[in-house]
Amino acid sequence: MFHASIEPLLEPFCHWQRGVWRSSTGPHFDVFNPATGALLATVADQGAAVAKAAITHAHAALPAWQAKSAKERSALLRRWFELIMEHQEPLALLMTLEQGKPLAEARGEVVYGASYVEWFAEETKRLYGDILPAASGDRRLLTIKQGIGVVAAITPWNFPSAMITRKVAPALGAGCTVVLKPSDETPLSALALVTLARQAGIPEAVFQIVTGKNAAAIGDLFCSDGRVRKLTFTGSTPVGKRLMAQCADTVKKMGLELGGNAPFIVFDDADIDAAIKGLMLSKFRNAGQTCICANRILVQAGIYDAFVAKLVAAVAQLKVAPGTEAGATIGPLVNGKAVEKVESLVADAIAKGASLLAGGERARAGKLFYQPTVLGEISRSMAIFDHEIFGPVAALMRFESEDEAIALANDTPFGLAAYFYSQNMGRIWRVAERLEYGMVGINEGGISSEVAPFGGVKESGLGREGSKYGLEEFTEIKYLCLGGLG
Ligand code: SIN
């Protein structure tokens, strides 16, 4: 039975009744399994009033949390990491049930998410300040880094675990308290992580969760409450822009991980097999529902036909099925709107001259499944060139020269991830430096790691998550001037 291993993780918030986890309190909303449409859970539908109370508790909890030594906070994070790893299997199963990704990917995400907690448990102990050479002998100048205060975090459904840990672990490590609003599509993984954080000994008021359908009301409150000193958000660019405007009134620090439109460039001098492998990883991970998925695949004319043939053969190996089924590699999309968006991008491309090389319609596995699809000869006038697909559609475009590839790649307001394949060292440096992106995969399709800074330029966001930089995002630098020493 699926629920037996999962139930203890949800018990503080839900109880198992007639085949469904039911919210323990008041108004609630439904969470469905996207693979089957079955009702999985009902979760507390909380709004701005609960969010405000959570901020009050988080604000009150700050002094005691900040008074803990870095070593003490590190030990609590380390314990949280260990508990996540001990519960890898039920967490993965829960994720597959509510989000749809294949179980193997869900297992991978649990480990990936946990790696941020482990990393920041370690980095927390290295939040160093500086001693600055003073201009006169009677002074000593120094800087210290302090946790910024109460942090509000809004996280998405596509990585229900890792996007939480990537924000919450550095915030807690830096000495901030956190109020988390997870996506209403995937609140169960978030609740399970909170349960484990509490079991690890992280105080309730230090890391709180607000679940609710009315994301706008909770978001408005996060933005307008002056006690929240940082808002960190992963989601769409339009929502990020709105939050940014709303945060202006209280001049909040912001972390924004927004949309992408990743180019994946394959030059004539590339190792084609390596490029196919990297593309399959980058394009079809999570059924194409990541912000760093290859969105526009630019292939140089000399290898275009050979590349297409290999890609179509690789795509034919993918298995579309519910994530709990053995061997599944492509799960459902998140909801009906996502499927309609993919359908309309594909239809627009075909109407404007793209060739359909594989797939191109809904899959039989269920209402929210879409066939892995390959489109050839896409062009600049097609909507698919400008819009994040967020589905399992590989859209290929032919180019002639390096300059043309760079111009096409940069012809977008987005700047999150880019990828290119080449074996020419001069070209590798030239192209890497000219791409206007926050992250560049060179002969590599899987670039995410807790040790690396994740984030974008242009309209893809502000700030970096993960790595040594990810901790600093949750701190303020304070300058101390120690005078009268002459
Ligand atoms: C995202 O899609 O925003 C996250 C992807 C990742 O962390 O690899």
Side-chain angles (χ1 to χ4, degrees), residues 287-332:
Q289 302 173 107
T290 89
C291 303
I292 57 171
C293 273
N295 212 57
R296 296 165 296 152
I297 302 151
L298 311 174
V299 185
Q300 200 157 9
I303 53 157
Y304 185 92
D305 294 335
F307 188 84
V308 166
K310 287 190 181 225
L311 179 61
V312 170
V315 166
Q317 302 304 310
L318 294 172
K319 177 175 172 185
V320 182
T324 46
E325 202 174 300
T329 48
I330 300 285

Side-chain angles (χ1 to χ4, degrees), residues 120-159:
F120 286 112
E122 291 158 0
E123 282 298 289
T124 294
K125 293 183 278 187
R126 301 185 189 104
L127 200 51
Y128 305 128
D130 285 315
I131 305 285
L132 313 173
S136 63
D138 63 342
R139 297 169 161 210
R140 296 294 180 271
L141 314 184
L142 48 143
T143 62
I144 56 173
K145 289 180 189 151
Q146 295 179 304
I148 189 164
V150 176
V151 169
I154 304 177
T155 55
W157 51 264
N158 60 343
F159 288 87

Side-chain angles (χ1 to χ4, degrees), residues 137-388:
D138 63 342
R139 297 169 161 210
R140 296 294 180 271
L141 314 184
L142 48 143
T143 62
I144 56 173
K145 289 180 189 151
Q146 295 179 304
I148 189 164
V150 176
V151 169
I154 304 177
T155 55
W157 51 264
N158 60 343
F159 288 87
S161 182
M163 297 305 100
I164 292 175
T165 54
R166 192 155 85 184
K167 296 176 187 306
V168 174
L172 296 180
C176 303
T177 54
V178 180
V179 181
L180 165 70
K181 156 74 178 78
S183 164
D184 57 54
E185 306 273 5
T186 55
L188 302 176
S189 297
L191 291 171
L193 285 176
V194 171
T195 299
L196 293 176
R198 289 180 185 169
Q199 283 176 17
I202 295 170
E204 250 181 63
V206 165
F207 175 24
Q208 296 168 82
I209 183 164
V210 180
T211 51
K213 262 306 220 202
N214 194 343
I218 297 169
D220 289 354
L221 194 271
F222 283 168
C223 294
S224 61
D225 194 311
R227 294 169 300 175
V228 174
R229 292 313 313 144
K230 169 157 180 162
L231 180 78
T232 169
F233 168 73
T234 295
S236 74
T237 293
V239 174
K241 286 181 181 177
R242 192 164 59 82
L243 292 171
M244 202 170 164
Q246 286 177 305
C247 283
D249 261 358
T250 48
V251 193
K252 267 188 227 322
K253 191 160 172 166
M254 299 200 79
L256 297 173
E257 297 295 347
L258 307 178
N261 183 3
F264 189 105
I265 311 170
V266 190
F267 289 101
D268 278 349
D269 57 27
D271 173 339
I272 298 189
D273 291 324
I276 294 286
K277 191 164 165 234
L279 178 60
M280 293 302 288
L281 178 64
S282 162
K283 176 67 255 180
F284 294 104
R285 176 177 175 224
N286 202 11
Q289 302 173 107
T290 89
C291 303
I292 57 171
C293 273
N295 212 57
R296 296 165 296 152
I297 302 151
L298 311 174
V299 185
Q300 200 157 9
I303 53 157
Y304 185 92
D305 294 335
F307 188 84
V308 166
K310 287 190 181 225
L311 179 61
V312 170
V315 166
Q317 302 304 310
L318 294 172
K319 177 175 172 185
V320 182
T324 46
E325 202 174 300
T329 48
I330 300 285
L333 300 191
V334 64
N335 54 33
K337 261 170 70 182
V339 183
E340 282 160 24
K341 179 182 171 192
V342 171
E343 281 179 325
S344 108
L345 289 173
V346 170
D348 172 80
I350 292 173
K352 291 179 179 155
S355 46
L356 181 62
L357 303 169
E361 52 190 39
R362 292 184 189 223
R364 275 196 291 270
K367 260 172 55 186
L368 300 182
F369 290 83
Y370 196 86
Q371 292 177 343
T373 295
V374 181
L375 294 175
E377 310 293 356
I378 69 150
S379 66
R380 183 66 193 85
S381 64
M382 298 172 187
I384 210 158
F385 188 95
D386 293 310
H387 294 270
E388 214 174 5

